[in-house]
Amino acid sequence: MTERRIKIDVPSLARVEGEGALHLKITEGALDALQFKIYEPPRFFEKFLEGRHYTEVPDIVARICGICPVAYQVSAVNALESLFQAPLTPWIKQMRRLLYCGEWIQSHSLHIHLLALPDYFSEESVLGLAAKEPEVVKRGFAIQEAGNRLIRFLGGRSVHPVGLKVGGFHRAPSAEEAKELLEFLQERLPEAVALAEWVAGIKLPEDEQEFVSVALSTEQFAIEAGLLRNSQGLQITEDQYEAHFTESQSPHSTALWSLMDGQDYLVGPLARLNLNHDCLPAFLKTLLNRLGDPFPSRNMFHSMLARAIEICVVLHEAISILQSYQPDTPSAEFSVRAGAGFGWSEAPRGLLWHRYTVDEQGIITAAKIVPPTSQNQARIERDLEKSLTAFGLDKADELLRLHSEKVVRNYDPCISCATHFLKLTTER
Amino acid sequence: MSCAVVGLGSAHGDDQLGWLLVDMLETQAERINISAPGAELFAVLQQYEQIVVVDAAEIGLLPGEFRFIAEGAELLGSAQPHLSSHTLDLVQYWLLLGQLKIPEPKISLFLVQLKKCNAMQGLSPELERRMQVYKSALEQVLDNLLSSDIIRKNNSV
């Protein structure tokens, strides 16, 4: 019998956020080793936060990620406001949701058009895609601009916004600004629906797997708050998170690995659609029915459609909020209390959990942040094992590499977000 | 259509040169600062008739020396796109304009040779002490550009 040994190294994964790699070893037709490596240097944000005043937290955590700063800000203020029992008004809560809608639009459109779609057209990048499908790319940038403008409306600027603070916002935008934004968003909604229809028509690999979906849930489609649910029936609040979710260090990753009650799990758009499908607005349920609604789905390749549907969800929601927008008192009064605060929200890539311990003066004494990419790491490796085996380990190395990258991109990993912890042991 | 001066950069070391310089300018041109190029740059490229990009770059000079390249299109058209993990750089956005058949603006580049871009550090002394020189040179460039009747009219609206 001839033994076939294959080693595939993808030293730098392209079209993902941050620096990661993949190592595969196939011996006699079976996967011998598989490692999704995150080697980007650790960033120590939790340590930076210690000793800082709570008012600095939203601006510091925004710097963790250029793509999902709002998610970091909202999870952080949720945790601190919960500790301080800040009496947030309905206006403040609604504006938080509106700001978050902008981030989902921006991030999802970027992922679909710049990161994921080139795979399905055998192109290296959006430049090749633009030559084949120029109108799709133009539409994608127009939709992304809607997200930029929404973030700018409440955040002051579209990258690393500065408008949010513990207790609310620094200012309330004028009704005139809202009207101008509303018109732009209304023009984008039919484009977003057309995008979802178009994405639904793309032929995807059939790659069904068993996994547990985890997402926040509320009466509305959960974005900035909610109870955590999973597809096995778990339902918990923010302060119960650490009783079920544990993190550990792996030698091949500078990001921590997260397990839920000892098992890998999925967070992100597909998990949200799987769990919150019933919360979709009626027009999207009708649209999905027409498209042969695949949700709930066990095929990770449906993540791109899930993102397109979520763009429609949040554009529709943002339009609805802006139609009745009136400026109001932008922030609530509260008193600082010592103790521990817990907060979470649904970042574009999935659940983002924060915990802060604060002293009587409002100084942060400890911080813990669990980003979605570290939560998906174990699932990504499990998915690769199954998906590559189903794809055929006897395929040419280049095909295996391309398929692996496609699988990883389904999760839209944000590696820079994930690498802010490293356990350092010194021997003397 | 009008004229914009766009600072590209980040909060790290000499990479913040573009932002700091654009903030200092006294000009009728629209002043815009953009973080390590995101999609916002693509929108800006489509909105203005004339764009002057200000950036710290590796251009083979001594730290702090600068070059103004009036015909930036030629350089961008022949440059190698930078491999970026999650977004596109100026060169890629420039190529994308062509791929999508979107009219290109007239683009000029004001580039300063960087020394180091250490995280959360300030400018290198070589760049810091020349800020007024850059400011004067750039304002002169913008004055010349804005002396075009069409651009001046549109920027005064």
Side-chain angles (χ1 to χ4, degrees):
Chain A
M1 185 178 166
T2 311
E3 186 181 290
R4 186 182 177 218
R5 284 176 188 273
I6 305 173
K7 205 171 133 193
I8 298 176
D9 278 307
V10 184
S12 178
L13 286 164
R15 279 186 280 126
V16 297
E17 198 293 321
E19 307 295 332
L22 192 63
H23 168 71
L24 296 179
K25 192 173 159 198
I26 300 165
T27 307
E28 294 184 54
L31 263 179
D32 207 18
L34 186 154
Q35 290 180 331
F36 172 53
K37 295 182 172 180
I38 288 184
Y39 57 79
E40 185 156 308
R43 299 173 66 208
F44 306 112
F45 268 91
E46 285 133 323
K47 254 329 194 196
F48 294 157
L49 287 161
E50 286 178 19
R52 297 288 189 165
H53 195 253
Y54 78 89
T55 52
E56 296 181 275
V57 173
D59 290 332
I60 294 175
V61 297
R63 295 286 170 169
I64 293 174
C65 185
I67 303 177
C68 47
V70 173
Y72 281 91
Q73 292 183 312
V74 171
S75 285
V77 296
N78 280 349
L80 293 164
E81 288 162 355
S82 142
L83 170 63
F84 301 150
Q85 297 174 17
L88 301 188
T89 60
W91 186 92
I92 294 168
K93 290 180 183 172
Q94 196 175 45
M95 290 308 116
R96 290 272 169 81
R97 190 166 170 86
L98 181 62
L99 177 64
Y100 223 125
C101 288
E103 181 152 288
W104 275 24
I105 295 168
Q106 187 192 57
S107 177
H108 283 355
S109 187
L110 182 146
H111 182 264
I112 292 172
H113 297 92
L114 268 62
L115 309 184
L117 271 182
D119 283 336
Y120 299 90
F121 291 83
S122 304
E123 291 296 339
E124 278 292 308
S125 76
V126 69
L127 291 171
L129 179 67
K132 284 182 177 168
E133 298 282 350
E135 295 311 314
V136 168
V137 176
K138 278 186 195 173
R139 181 179 65 198
F141 277 107
I143 292 170
Q144 192 171 336
E145 178 63 13
N148 291 342
R149 290 191 188 195
L150 257 172
I151 298 175
R152 216 177 294 140
F153 175 69
L154 284 160
R157 60 190 192 198
S158 64
V159 180
H160 299 139
V162 290
L164 196 142
K165 67 175 189 174
V166 179
F169 290 87
H170 290 289
R171 69 179 273 269
S174 68
E176 290 71 31
E177 290 172 81
K179 185 169 177 289
E180 191 182 323
L181 177 59
L182 174 63
E183 285 166 12
F184 189 80
L185 299 194
Q186 283 171 325
E187 288 167 11
R188 302 285 84 75
L189 186 56
E191 294 174 349
V193 170
L195 170 66
E197 288 171 330
W198 185 79
V199 167
I202 295 173
K203 186 168 169 42
L204 302 171
E206 288 180 14
D207 192 13
E208 297 230 327
Q209 298 182 22
E210 290 295 333
F211 55 81
V212 183
S213 296
V214 174
L216 300 184
S217 285
T218 56
E219 286 175 8
Q220 298 173 293
F221 200 88
I223 302 173
E224 80 294 359
L227 287 178
L228 183 143
R229 280 178 55 208
N230 76 10
S231 48
Q232 295 174 322
L234 179 72
Q235 186 163 312
I236 58 169
T237 52
E238 296 92 322
D239 56 322
Q240 297 170 318
Y241 179 85
E242 287 174 293
H244 296 273
F245 294 81
T246 50
E247 291 186 297
S248 62
Q249 190 81 43
S250 166
H252 63 271
S253 177
T254 50
L256 287 172
W257 290 58
S258 191
L259 294 176
M260 176 188 57
D261 295 324
Q263 61 184 330
D264 62 90
Y265 59 101
L266 175 73
V267 297
L270 184 62
R272 292 193 288 254
L273 258 289
N274 283 349
L275 291 169
N276 299 328
H277 184 270
D278 290 345
C279 302
L280 290 173
F283 84 99
L284 281 175
K285 285 182 180 164
T286 307
L287 174 69
L288 274 171
N289 277 336
R290 191 156 53 78
L291 300 175
D293 191 350
F295 305 113
S297 167
R298 290 183 297 162
N299 182 356
M300 267 310 293
F301 286 95
H302 283 136
S303 295
M304 187 160 59
L305 179 60
R307 285 187 185 91
I309 292 294
E310 285 193 337
I311 289 175
C312 297
V313 171
V314 289
L315 253 178
H316 176 258
E317 172 102 24
I319 288 168
S320 165
I321 293 172
L322 285 170
Q323 278 170 333
S324 56
Y325 176 83
Q326 286 299 325
D328 203 340
T329 309
S331 61
E333 298 292 323
F334 58 87
S335 302
V336 171
R337 295 160 190 249
F342 308 85
W344 54 24
S345 64
E346 283 287 348
R349 287 152 194 80
L351 183 71
L352 171 60
W353 182 83
H354 288 215
R355 166 169 58 72
Y356 297 95
T357 309
V358 182
D359 71 13
E360 293 80 3
Q361 280 72 47
I363 302 295
I364 306 296
T365 55
K368 185 173 178 181
I369 298 172
V370 185
T373 295
S374 22
Q375 301 190 66
N376 274 336
Q377 270 198 108
R379 176 89 271 284
I380 292 173
E381 281 200 356
R382 180 66 61 84
D383 185 349
L384 280 164
E385 279 169 28
K386 291 184 181 296
S387 189
L388 286 172
T389 306
F391 181 68
L393 295 171
D394 55 343
K395 293 254 177 35
D397 293 7
E398 181 61 8
L399 291 176
L400 284 171
R401 183 186 67 80
L402 288 172
H403 188 76
S404 304
E405 289 199 320
K406 241 165 134 170
V407 168
V408 172
R409 278 194 279 273
N410 279 334
Y411 295 83
D412 191 12
C414 193
I415 291 172
S416 307
C417 287
T419 55
H420 49 110
F421 184 92
L422 182 69
K423 187 176 175 183
L424 184 66
T425 308
T426 310
E427 271 185 52
R428 296 181 195 276
Chain B
M1 296 292 282
S2 53
C3 177
V5 53
V6 180
L8 296 184
S10 71
H12 308 303
D14 292 343
D15 201 28
Q16 62 198 301
L17 179 277
W19 294 356
L20 296 175
L21 192 48
V22 166
D23 280 345
M24 287 169 67
L25 291 173
E26 293 166 55
T27 175
Q28 282 193 332
E30 186 82 27
R31 297 180 305 158
I32 300 169
N33 278 334
I34 295 178
S35 285
E40 206 162 2
L41 178 60
F42 192 59
V44 169
L45 289 173
Q46 298 173 64
Q47 282 170 22
Y48 295 89
E49 182 185 50
Q50 166 78 58
I51 290 173
V52 178
V53 171
V54 184
D55 199 5
E58 191 57 69
I59 50 175
L61 302 176
L62 293 173
E65 292 184 344
F66 71 94
R67 286 286 178 275
F68 175 67
I69 300 160
E71 300 296 329
E74 199 175 320
L75 180 72
L76 292 174
S78 60
Q80 285 299 310
H82 171 67
L83 281 175
S84 175
S85 55
H86 61 84
T87 186
L88 306 181
D89 66 7
L90 176 61
V91 174
Q92 286 169 310
Y93 278 127
W94 191 258
L95 294 174
L96 198 54
L97 287 177
Q99 290 280 23
L100 297 175
K101 299 186 173 46
I102 295 170
E104 294 163 353
K106 186 169 163 39
I107 191 163
S108 304
L109 308 172
F110 188 94
L111 303 175
V112 177
Q113 174 64 48
L114 59 82
K115 185 176 182 186
K116 57 187 178 187
C117 296
N118 292 354
M120 304 309 282
Q121 298 294 305
L123 286 178
S124 302
E126 291 91 335
L127 276 67
E128 177 92 60
R129 66 170 172 259
R130 288 181 169 98
M131 287 302 280
Q132 285 300 327
V133 175
Y134 307 146
K135 177 178 182 287
S136 301
L138 194 48
E139 284 174 352
Q140 183 62 53
V141 162
L142 291 166
D143 279 351
N144 291 342
L145 289 171
L146 288 163
S147 66
S148 148
D149 281 340
I150 298 169
I151 293 176
R152 187 172 53 214
K153 197 188 302 173
N154 281 308
N155 273 280
S156 60
V157 172

